[in-house]
Amino acid sequence: MPEKQPRIIVLGAGMAGILAGIRLQHMDYRDVTLYEKADRVGGTWRENTYPGLTCDVPSHFYTYSFERNPDWTRHLPPGPEIQAYFERTAQKYGINALTRFGEECTEAAYRDGRWHLQFASGHRDSADILIAATGVLHHPKYPDIPGAGTFQGALFHSARWDHSVPLEGRRIGIIGNGSTGVQIVSALAGKAALLEHYQRTPQWIMPVENGHFTEAERAAFHDPAVLAQAMNVEEYMASVEAYTQSITDIDSEASQAMAQACRDNLEHSVVDPVLREQLRPDHLPLCKRLVFSPDYYQAIQHPQSRLVSTGIQQIEAAGIRTVDGELHELDVIVFATGFHADAFMRPMAITGRDGVSLADFWHDRPKAYLAVTMPGFPNLFMLNGPNGPVGNFSLIDIAEHQWAYIERLMARLDAGDCTEVEPSLAAMEAFEAERVEAAKRTVWYRGGCVSWYLDAEGIPSSWPWNFQRFVDSMAEPDWAAFGLSPPRAM
Ligand code: N01
C-alpha cells in the first residue's frame, strides 16, 4: 500500500459492490465509498420480491466463498433469505458505514487522471479508481402490448411487485415464461381462482430438487467440515464445467445429456398430449437460459391453471384479448417480461479519456476486455460487466474471480508501476474478434431461438468459452495487454 491512499469509489451495493467493499477493507484501502441509489443493500435481491422468488444455484454455493451460510432452509435459496444474507453480511463487514444510500450516479468523467462523478442529488465526488458494480438485469423491460394503460385491474412488472394487491381467489395473468414467469406460476398455482400463463415461446424445463434442509442438517452445517463435505465442491464445479461445455459445444456428451433430461421431463411430467405439445419448444435445450423448476409442469396442470399459447392482441379494461378474439377477463396482470440486459452501467453517462463516451465505445454492442476493463477508460473496473459468464451458476463466484483479477491490476498502481491501468485497443479488438467468433459456435447462436443473451445484431453477449478458460483468464492478467511487463517477484 503506498503512503498516499488512493480514493476508491464503488458504484452499487448489491452482491458485487458488497464484495468490493469487503475486499478493499481487507486489503487496507481506507479511502473507500460505496454509492447506492436505493436505501439499502441487496441489488437484484432487494428489487425482486415476487412470489416464488428463488435462485436456481444450489444454496450453499450461492454465498461468498469466505462467508458461507449454514442456515439456508432449502436446497435452492429463497429470495428473502438471499436478501437477508446480503444485509447480514454487509452489516458484519461494515459495508453500510462505507455506503452513501439514496445517491444515484448520473455521470462519471475521466479528467486530469481522476474520475469525476455527478449524482442526481447534486452531490459530486471524485476518485482515483472507479469500480462499477451496477448489476446486469436491473432495468425492467415492459412489453410493447397495446392498451396496457386501459386495464382496470392491477398491472405491474415482476421486478416491481405490488404487495398491496391481494392474490388469493383472484384471476391472474402472467405474461412471460422465463425463469421469473415460471417461478411465479409455480408459486401461485392453486391460490388464484384462475391462473393464466401467457407463453409466446415454449421453454425447456430442467427438473431440479428443492427440498427443505432439516433442523438437524442446518445445525450440523455450522461445522465447516460438515458443510464442506455436504457441498462437495469438486462435484459442483464439474457440473458447472459440464454446463459451459454444453453451451459451447452442442455436440458434446454433456450437451446431449442436458437436452435429454429436459425432453424426458416434458414427456414424463405432462399428461395431456395437447398441453404437452403446446409446451414443447422447437429450439434446442439451452438455447435460452435454461429454466430450472421442480414444479412448473405440476403447476400448469393444476385445474385452476391455464396455459395460453395464443398470441396477445391487446390489453383492455377487463383483461387480455388474444389474437383469436377471446377476451380473458382478469383482475391482475404481471409482466414477467425480463430486463434490458444490455444496459449495464447505463443510463449513467460515462466519459473516458479525451472525451470518448461509453455510448460511442459501445455503439455496436457492450464490450470489455475480459469483461473487466476497457481501453480509454483508465482505472475503471467492472464486476459482472459485459461478456462475462452468465448462466445457471453463481454470479458471486464469477465476481470473486473478477475481483481477484482487479486486485492484481490495482497492485500495479500501488507499486507505482503505472498511474493508469487500461488494456490496449489492440488487445481489446483481438479479444472481441475472438469472442464474437466463439459466440457464433454456441447453442445460444445455433440453437434456433431468440433470447436476452443476444445483442442487437443477434450475437450472444455472454462468455462463449468454458468455465475453466474464464478461471484461467482471471488467474493472472496478460500484462502485455496492459502495456506492462510482468510484476517483479515479491
Ligand atoms: O426474463 P426473460 P426473466 N409478449 O427475458 C416474454 C434471471 N433470473 O425475468 O421467449 C409476450 O428470460 C418472453 O417471451 P419470448 C435469469 O438470468 C434468475 O424470466 O421472448 N411475451 C419470455 O418468455 C433469467 O434468465 C432467476 O418469446 C413476452 C419472457 O417474457 C433472467 O433473470 C430467477 C413479450 C422474458 O423472459 C431473466 O428472466 C429469475 C411480449 N411482448 C430470473 N415480451 C434465478 O433463479 C417478452 N415476453 C437465478
Side-chain angles (χ1 to χ4, degrees):
M1 180 68 53
E3 251 172 50
K4 184 179 172 311
Q5 283 270 337
R7 168 112 182 101
I8 304 177
I9 287 179
V10 180
L11 295 176
M15 169 278 284
I18 296 170
L19 169 70
I22 293 172
R23 292 297 311 165
L24 286 166
Q25 291 180 100
H26 182 78
M27 293 157 73
D28 213 19
Y29 287 106
R30 290 186 297 279
D31 192 3
V32 177
T33 302
L34 278 76
Y35 282 98
E36 166 56 56
K37 67 177 179 324
D39 61 357
R40 60 197 176 112
V41 302
T44 194
W45 301 108
R46 178 196 63 233
E47 291 190 2
N48 284 278
T49 58
Y50 62 76
L53 175 68
T54 303
C55 178
D56 59 14
V57 174
S59 295
H60 293 126
F61 289 95
Y62 201 72
T63 69
Y64 301 114
S65 57
F66 52 84
E67 187 66 27
R68 295 294 184 202
N69 176 18
D71 295 318
W72 297 116
T73 59
R74 305 193 67 149
H75 290 221
L76 301 179
E81 289 185 31
I82 301 173
Q83 176 62 14
Y85 166 80
F86 284 122
E87 289 189 11
R88 206 164 59 235
T89 304
Q91 191 64 35
K92 174 173 172 182
Y93 288 89
I95 297 304
N96 293 329
L98 289 184
T99 306
R100 286 187 64 151
F101 291 99
E103 289 282 10
E104 180 174 5
C105 181
T106 52
E107 287 174 40
Y110 189 75
R111 283 191 312 271
D112 309 323
R114 298 200 97 204
W115 282 99
H116 298 270
L117 278 66
Q118 171 74 53
F119 294 82
S121 64
H123 175 67
R124 290 168 188 272
D125 201 346
S126 61
D128 301 295
I129 294 171
L130 184 60
I131 315 276
T134 45
V136 187
L137 301 169
H138 57 127
H139 296 292
K141 192 169 178 181
Y142 288 83
D144 192 10
I145 300 174
T150 65
F151 183 55
Q152 295 294 299
L155 184 155
F156 44 84
H157 190 277
S158 57
R160 298 286 181 271
W161 197 273
D162 183 347
H163 290 277
S164 70
V165 175
L167 302 171
E168 296 267 337
R170 310 293 291 280
R171 297 164 302 174
I172 305 172
I174 310 293
I175 300 178
N177 61 339
S179 300
T180 302
V182 162
Q183 290 182 351
I184 296 171
V185 167
S186 305
L188 296 185
K191 296 191 178 112
L194 170 69
L195 185 62
E196 289 197 331
H197 195 192
Y198 289 80
Q199 166 192 282
R200 185 165 68 178
T201 313
Q203 286 265 22
W204 288 106
I205 309 282
M206 177 65 103
V208 62
E209 296 285 324
N210 189 18
H212 285 86
F213 291 116
T214 64
E215 263 184 47
E217 281 173 319
R218 283 155 55 192
F221 293 151
H222 280 259
D223 177 344
V226 175
L227 184 59
Q229 196 182 17
M231 285 174 68
N232 195 344
V233 176
E234 260 179 40
E235 189 182 277
Y236 173 72
M237 291 318 297
S239 75
V240 171
E241 186 61 22
Y243 171 82
T244 52
Q245 265 175 23
S246 313
I247 300 291
T248 52
D249 179 2
I250 58 178
D251 301 317
S252 64
E253 246 176 65
S255 184
Q256 306 288 330
M258 290 189 84
Q260 195 54 46
C262 293
R263 293 193 179 101
D264 288 349
N265 191 26
L266 177 65
E267 297 305 335
H268 300 147
S269 309
V270 182
V271 180
D272 174 7
V274 175
L275 179 63
R276 198 186 308 135
E277 291 320 303
Q278 282 177 310
L279 286 165
R280 188 187 300 280
D282 62 1
H283 54 263
L284 289 182
L286 292 160
C287 182
K288 286 171 178 279
R289 185 191 187 276
L290 202 48
V291 176
F292 280 72
S293 175
D295 49 7
Y296 174 70
Y297 285 145
Q298 269 166 280
I300 200 64
Q301 292 176 90
H302 189 280
Q304 279 142 251
S305 302
R306 184 177 170 204
L307 182 77
V308 182
S309 54
T310 311
I312 296 172
Q313 183 177 310
Q314 60 190 38
I315 295 176
E316 301 180 3
I320 293 177
R321 192 174 294 278
T322 41
V323 291
D324 56 5
E326 184 180 346
L327 175 66
H328 303 248
E329 292 192 18
L330 296 166
D331 304 305
V332 182
I333 297 175
V334 178
F335 290 152
T337 44
F339 300 87
H340 291 282
D342 63 349
F344 295 99
M345 296 173 275
R346 296 178 286 189
M348 205 189 304
I350 300 196
T351 312
R353 188 191 292 106
D354 303 329
V356 173
S357 73
L358 186 70
D360 282 345
F361 185 67
W362 283 0
H363 72 277
D364 48 353
R365 57 172 64 100
K367 56 189 177 225
Y369 175 66
L370 291 172
V372 176
T373 57
M374 297 178 290
F377 298 83
N379 303 346
L380 166 61
F381 306 117
M382 289 178 286
L383 289 166
N384 295 125
N387 319 137
V390 178
N392 296 84
F393 43 78
S394 169
L395 272 187
I396 307 178
D397 187 33
I398 303 299
E400 286 195 7
H401 283 289
Q402 290 174 332
W403 184 261
Y405 181 87
I406 292 170
E407 277 188 10
R408 288 183 177 82
L409 297 178
M410 285 172 53
R412 303 305 298 269
L413 291 167
D414 290 344
D417 296 342
C418 55
T419 55
E420 294 180 331
V421 169
E422 64 181 304
S424 67
L425 186 60
M428 170 78 233
E429 284 176 346
F431 170 75
E432 180 64 359
E434 193 187 355
R435 185 192 71 77
V436 168
E437 279 318 298
K440 290 180 182 169
R441 293 192 292 272
T442 61
V443 66
W444 300 318
Y445 188 78
R446 296 174 59 192
C449 77
V450 173
S451 77
W452 63 261
Y453 282 128
L454 305 183
D455 66 24
E457 289 174 22
I459 303 297
S461 53
S462 292
W463 186 259
W465 301 287
N466 63 4
F467 195 75
Q468 191 56 46
R469 176 158 170 170
F470 168 71
V471 172
D472 294 344
S473 304
M474 293 294 102
E476 181 68 22
D478 173 358
W479 295 109
F482 292 91
L484 291 165
S485 46
R488 288 178 298 278
M490 301 295 280

